[in-house]
Amino acid sequence: MTRVLIVTHDVVGVRMAGPAIRCVELARQLSEACEVTVTSLMPLDGAIEAPFKVVSFEDDPRRLRALAEDSDVLVLQGLMPRRFPFLLELGKYLVMDLYDPFLFESYPHLLSLPHEGKSDFLEFWDTMNEQMEVADFSICASERQRDMWIGRYCALGRLTPVQFDADPSFRHLIDLVPFGVSDEPPRHERPVLKGVVPGIEENDKVILWGGGIWNWFDPLTLIRAVGQIAERRQDVKLYFLGVKHPNPEIPEMAMAAQAVQLAEELGLKERYVFFNHDWVPYTDRQNYLAEADIGVSSHFDSVETRFSFRTRVLDYLWAGLPVVSTEGDAMAELVASRGLGMVTRYGSVDDWVVALTRVLDDASFQQSARANVRAVADEYRWSQVAAPLRHYCEAPYRSARSYWSVSLTYNRGTALSRARKLVGKTLKVLENDGIGGVLDKGVRFVGRRMSLRPRVQ
């Protein structure tokens, strides 16, 4: 059996956010055919029942190296390749999980840093290039994302004739593995909201915000819409499922504080708008979903929205909830095209009032949306969406690198490696075009670098 190591920066255990949930659920599917271990940078948050190993290497490179050396395939997320560059040098089959374009999420944070976070931006930008230059296989969450990554792979020189010959669609290099939903339906095991949370009555209509409040989201428009609805009726309540991220390295976001402040200013907090200031355990979220009447997702018009894949919406589908979402992302397109609920314009309080009211009060519309949601949920079962990754791990293969870097030892983290790359390319040009070709290409290369590469001032 292929030995697979999945490495995440996120907390794994009882309370998990999207990246850790994805690792655990993919591991569950891979474990049917492979020997799988999930390892986290962070201490584990309690034990989870799983047919695979779950361990923490607790930020100890030696422990991580030992786990990686004992594996055949490494599945890596986010900044892990940069934080532990030896993972790229062990000769293992490398799978990069690109479902989260973290660079786009980082912009609000980077703007709050000195010099607009230029050095951090360069590191994130370089990390994305780094992991894509060495990936044997990569996965993403939507066709829209895949188009973007194909463009980036092309710019990095990875879409070679050799890759085309292996697979003209290039799915041999990057394929779809969206976020999924459990094959088992959710169960309502105990009351958690209606008649339990002070201010939420048993017959109230609950609007569920099914995750954290991050800076790239727009909870403010939604809160204002609920405020307008509350002027006419008292049975509509908005509940934010989580504020405090389970990963202690991630501080509370500024948008979360703004949302709480706005709810207080409008007199809605603990009357019509409620916040869970902790994080709901992963296996307990089904109880909250079962008591909700609508699932919502609200965001801004940004590049993050364009290439995002809202994992919280998958939970809504799992629970059979009608969805109201802001336009612009892949999930909003799915809601609109498959009749899963309603889509609003960016920042439109009026749209949200109309959409929420219709889904809550139009029984025929709600029934139709729920039926459509259940049908779509079947297409996103983890057992189905994980298939491309499972097929790769069962029979891993090497993918051709860009021509000029294929013979070089890869370590983007050092100046020596970059010098080796430059020397290798120079020798190739010298062999083909002579010293004149080297001088000509050298001048053009320096010119491009000076004009195009972002620089720290």
Side-chain angles (χ1 to χ4, degrees):
M1 297 177 72
T2 306
R3 298 166 300 171
V4 180
L5 180 67
I6 303 177
V7 186
T8 180
H9 64 283
D10 222 359
V11 174
V12 176
V14 175
R15 292 170 175 81
M16 296 187 291
I21 292 170
R22 182 171 172 84
C23 288
V24 166
E25 294 297 347
L26 289 177
R28 201 179 303 279
Q29 299 303 318
L30 295 179
S31 65
E32 296 178 1
C34 304
E35 182 182 324
V36 184
T37 299
V38 173
T39 187
S40 171
L41 171 76
M42 309 300 299
L44 302 182
D45 180 31
I48 60 173
E49 294 184 11
F52 50 88
K53 296 178 184 177
V54 182
V55 298
S56 168
F57 65 91
E58 296 184 357
D59 206 10
D60 183 345
R62 294 169 299 178
R63 297 179 68 178
L64 178 58
R65 179 184 284 271
L67 290 166
E69 288 178 341
D70 196 37
S71 303
D72 303 306
V73 177
L74 307 182
V75 181
L76 307 177
Q77 283 183 341
L79 295 171
M80 290 295 96
R82 171 55 59 93
R83 194 158 181 169
F84 304 101
F86 62 82
L87 293 171
L88 309 182
E89 303 166 356
L90 299 176
K92 306 299 181 179
Y93 296 102
L94 297 173
V95 177
M96 299 300 172
D97 188 355
L98 305 176
Y99 95 100
D100 180 11
F102 59 86
L103 179 65
F104 298 153
E105 293 179 354
S106 72
Y107 291 146
H109 170 66
L110 295 177
L111 286 170
S112 69
L113 300 178
H115 307 294
E116 294 77 44
K118 290 181 180 178
S119 60
D120 284 17
F121 168 79
L122 287 179
E123 181 177 6
F124 291 171
W125 173 79
D126 209 32
T127 298
M128 293 181 77
N129 290 342
E130 177 179 79
Q131 58 189 358
M132 294 180 71
E133 286 183 343
V134 299
D136 292 303
F137 183 60
S138 51
I139 56 178
C140 62
S142 69
E143 289 290 356
R144 184 184 290 184
Q145 279 190 3
R146 187 169 179 270
D147 287 343
M148 178 187 69
W149 294 128
I150 285 177
R152 197 175 187 98
Y153 268 127
C154 183
L156 291 170
R158 289 296 308 274
L159 303 190
T160 64
V162 175
Q163 290 282 16
F164 179 84
D165 187 52
D167 177 10
S169 73
F170 292 111
R171 292 191 184 275
H172 195 74
L173 178 62
I174 179 165
D175 207 346
L176 290 189
V177 178
F179 220 86
V181 303
S182 173
D183 286 22
E184 297 297 322
R187 293 177 298 170
H188 190 209
E189 299 174 323
R190 64 186 183 89
V192 291
L193 290 174
K194 295 182 177 181
V196 176
V197 175
I200 302 181
E201 306 301 329
E202 290 187 3
N203 295 322
D204 283 347
K205 305 293 187 180
V206 174
I207 302 165
L208 186 68
W209 178 286
I213 306 175
W214 316 137
N215 288 339
W216 47 93
F217 289 147
D218 176 20
L220 308 182
T221 298
L222 175 59
I223 290 171
R224 291 189 176 97
V226 170
Q228 287 194 15
I229 294 173
E231 294 174 0
R232 304 192 305 269
R233 54 194 292 183
Q234 287 73 52
D235 64 336
V236 176
K237 308 295 170 67
L238 170 62
Y239 190 85
F240 288 89
L241 196 58
V243 173
K244 182 181 179 182
H245 198 286
N247 188 337
E249 288 191 345
I250 300 178
E252 181 177 306
M253 300 264 170
M255 183 54 73
Q258 291 178 42
V260 173
Q261 181 180 354
L262 178 63
E264 290 176 341
E265 291 175 354
L266 297 178
L268 303 174
K269 187 170 181 286
E270 310 305 334
R271 296 179 62 225
Y272 298 98
V273 179
F274 302 81
F275 299 89
N276 172 30
H277 289 277
D278 199 353
W279 195 266
V280 170
Y282 182 53
T283 56
D284 197 30
R285 78 196 193 287
Q286 60 187 345
N287 293 310
Y288 293 82
L289 291 161
E291 293 185 35
D293 296 278
I294 303 177
V296 294
S297 179
S298 180
H299 43 251
F300 299 106
D301 183 3
S302 72
V303 68
E304 186 279 333
T305 292
R306 176 70 183 168
F307 294 107
S308 68
F309 193 82
R310 305 294 185 211
T311 58
R312 69 192 61 213
V313 176
L314 271 296
D315 269 350
Y316 305 153
L317 302 187
W318 181 51
L321 289 177
V323 181
V324 178
S325 172
T326 314
E327 65 185 337
D329 65 3
M331 297 310 294
E333 286 189 352
L334 187 68
V335 170
S337 64
R338 301 292 293 273
L340 311 183
M342 294 192 69
V343 174
T344 71
R345 292 170 296 178
Y346 295 111
S348 174
V349 174
D350 291 343
D351 278 14
W352 273 98
V353 171
V354 170
L356 293 173
T357 302
R358 183 179 184 192
V359 175
L360 289 173
D361 294 342
D362 187 335
S364 176
F365 181 85
Q366 184 179 127
Q367 184 178 10
S368 173
R370 286 184 179 274
N372 294 335
V373 164
R374 286 190 290 270
V376 171
D378 287 338
E379 301 171 13
Y380 283 89
R381 303 295 180 194
W382 280 114
S383 56
Q384 289 187 224
V385 300
L389 179 60
R390 185 169 58 246
H391 293 157
Y392 177 83
C393 289
E394 288 174 353
Y397 51 80
R398 301 291 183 192
S399 288
R401 304 290 187 262
S402 56
Y403 284 151
W404 65 273
S405 65
V406 70
S407 64
L408 301 177
T409 300
Y410 188 81
N411 182 357
R412 282 277 296 230
T414 67
L416 177 62
S417 168
R418 298 185 184 192
R420 284 175 178 168
K421 283 188 174 183
L422 185 59
V423 169
K425 188 173 183 181
T426 301
L427 292 175
K428 189 68 175 179
V429 173
L430 182 64
E431 178 183 348
N432 293 334
D433 303 321
I435 189 65
V438 171
L439 293 174
D440 178 61
K441 290 183 181 295
V443 169
R444 284 190 287 165
F445 174 81
V446 171
R448 287 197 306 271
R449 286 290 180 179
M450 293 295 290
S451 63
L452 296 179
R453 181 182 174 95
R455 295 185 295 275
V456 178
Q457 296 178 349

